[in-house]
Amino acid sequence: MLVPRVDITTLVTGSGEHTAAAAIDAACRDTGFFSIVGHGVDPALRTRLDALAREFFALDEAEKAGIAMTRGGRAWRGWFPVGGELTSGIPDRKEGIYFGAELGAGDPRVRAGIALHGPNLFPLRPAALRATVLDYLEAMTQLGHTVMRGVALALGLPAGWFANELTADPTILFRIFCYPPTPDHDPDHKNDEWGVREHTDYGLLTIVGQDDVGGLQVRSTQGWIDVPPDPDAFVCNIGDMLERMTGGRYRSTPHRVRNTGASTRLSFPFFFDPGWNAEVRTVPEIAEGTRTVDAQARWDRANVHELTGTYGEYLLSKVSKVFPALTSEL
């Protein structure tokens, strides 16, 4: 079994969008995961980002710590070492860098001290990483709007509904994760080490670029399935917020990562989510009487349909569990 593959060329061009929307709808109802081609993102940008990321992660830890997350303060940006991020309270076997929308000191949200808003931290080496990451953020933000047009049509809404109601100024978060090779002493993972343990994502939409190593797995009705890397595609999955907003019509699917190879694995997840002050609510076409609230048990036994308030409030409640050492910054 493979995750569905959707050609979104028509969403990019704005002509004949309903075919792609129907395919997205089927994927969101079934696996909650799908890969997209025809997305229009420059492959040279992806290649450049991969090369620069590898150059950064090859540096010694003392140099990488020059942009440690503890230096990012309330903006919640920067590098963390292997084991520095938790999933379900257990350290992940990966290191990474956190990025978000690039906001200067004069931005009203930064002046107000709103968490997760501020400037990114970029290393001195490789110097080109800064411009490449900012170019990538711009390209992926546009792609997020494009895919969400397809989701809106799939739900029977006007194509621009999300952009008009929730994502005119989206909350965007970008990660570069580096998973070290499998330890020689533990080729069968008898100690149960995971790059990232089973989890679901928080928001609307995650768009992931994978390298050629693989390791991403999705929980389906037939058990855990691998998502093979494809250099021409991005992997998309929906998060808890879209499950909440669709009353369970779409499910946020558990997934996990284990690097089973002898090479370092890089992944590039981009999170496209509601605006910080957007209210958590059900989309108009989902009637109260048709909700399928908690029709199946979630991995974490949480009830996402009880969520209320703003997306920013919800996100803060989540990220403080991922990096508990930084909670005091919030």
Side-chain angles (χ1 to χ4, degrees):
M1 178 180 178
L2 297 174
V3 299
R5 183 182 175 95
V6 180
D7 188 335
I8 65 166
T9 301
T10 55
L11 288 171
V12 173
T13 62
S15 174
E17 298 171 313
H18 288 278
T19 299
I24 290 173
D25 182 59
C28 290
R29 287 173 177 267
D30 183 15
T31 61
F33 269 75
F34 54 98
S35 66
I36 55 172
V37 294
H39 45 72
V41 177
D42 184 358
L45 175 60
R46 301 179 67 177
T47 299
R48 187 165 68 251
L49 179 64
D50 183 278
L52 292 167
R54 291 181 190 279
E55 187 176 341
F56 172 79
F57 287 118
L59 299 173
D60 61 50
E61 289 209 351
E63 185 167 355
K64 288 184 285 191
I67 59 164
M69 290 191 73
T70 52
R71 297 174 180 266
R74 297 181 64 83
W76 209 263
R77 314 288 168 83
W79 170 80
F80 66 89
V82 173
E85 183 174 78
L86 307 181
T87 300
S88 300
I90 300 174
D92 295 335
R93 196 168 186 276
K94 70 176 189 297
E95 62 178 308
I97 321 175
Y98 272 43
F99 301 101
E102 178 72 359
L103 302 176
D107 186 280
R109 293 161 292 185
V110 179
R111 291 204 309 268
I114 298 176
L116 276 71
H117 292 73
N120 289 295
L121 298 181
F122 293 105
L124 295 177
R125 296 193 302 162
L129 184 62
R130 182 184 192 279
T132 301
V133 165
L134 294 179
D135 286 347
Y136 194 78
L137 289 174
E138 182 178 354
M140 298 306 287
T141 300
Q142 183 57 52
L143 182 57
H145 283 295
T146 298
V147 175
M148 290 309 298
R149 284 206 308 273
V151 173
L153 292 170
L155 292 169
L157 300 167
W161 189 85
F162 283 98
N164 293 331
E165 299 292 331
L166 293 176
T167 60
D169 182 18
T171 300
I172 61 168
L173 302 172
F174 174 49
R175 317 292 189 235
I176 304 178
F177 290 144
C178 177
Y179 300 84
T182 301
D184 293 337
H185 67 278
D186 185 35
D188 298 321
H189 298 278
K190 292 180 180 179
N191 63 2
D192 199 31
E193 285 190 342
W194 288 91
V196 182
R197 290 175 177 269
E198 179 180 357
H199 68 285
T200 53
D201 293 342
Y202 307 143
L204 285 180
L205 175 70
T206 306
I207 307 173
V208 182
Q210 297 194 88
D211 68 4
D212 59 0
V213 174
L216 175 61
Q217 296 181 331
V218 174
R219 194 174 74 184
S220 73
T221 55
Q222 300 177 25
W224 288 99
I225 60 173
D226 292 320
V227 183
D230 182 340
D232 297 323
F234 287 101
V235 178
C236 294
N237 65 276
I238 58 178
D240 293 345
M241 191 53 50
L242 196 55
E243 178 174 339
R244 160 68 176 86
M245 295 185 66
T246 62
R249 172 172 169 171
Y250 294 164
R251 300 279 180 184
S252 56
T253 303
H255 49 287
R256 63 190 185 185
V257 175
R258 172 175 277 170
N259 183 0
T260 58
S263 301
T264 295
R265 175 186 188 267
L266 294 189
S267 70
F268 305 86
F270 177 86
F271 303 89
F272 183 86
D273 294 335
W276 190 258
N277 294 318
E279 290 290 330
V280 175
R281 59 192 175 96
T282 307
V283 300
E285 292 300 308
I286 307 297
E288 291 288 336
T290 62
R291 291 187 184 183
T292 54
V293 176
D294 290 336
Q296 62 185 29
R298 277 176 52 93
W299 65 281
D300 57 358
R301 303 295 187 266
N303 183 355
V304 300
H305 303 284
E306 294 178 342
L307 297 174
T308 58
T310 66
Y311 183 70
E313 293 168 341
Y314 163 71
L315 184 58
L316 284 181
S317 72
K318 291 292 187 179
V319 297
S320 61
K321 298 177 181 178
V322 176
F323 289 100
L326 293 178
T327 301
S328 60
E329 296 289 348
L330 302 179

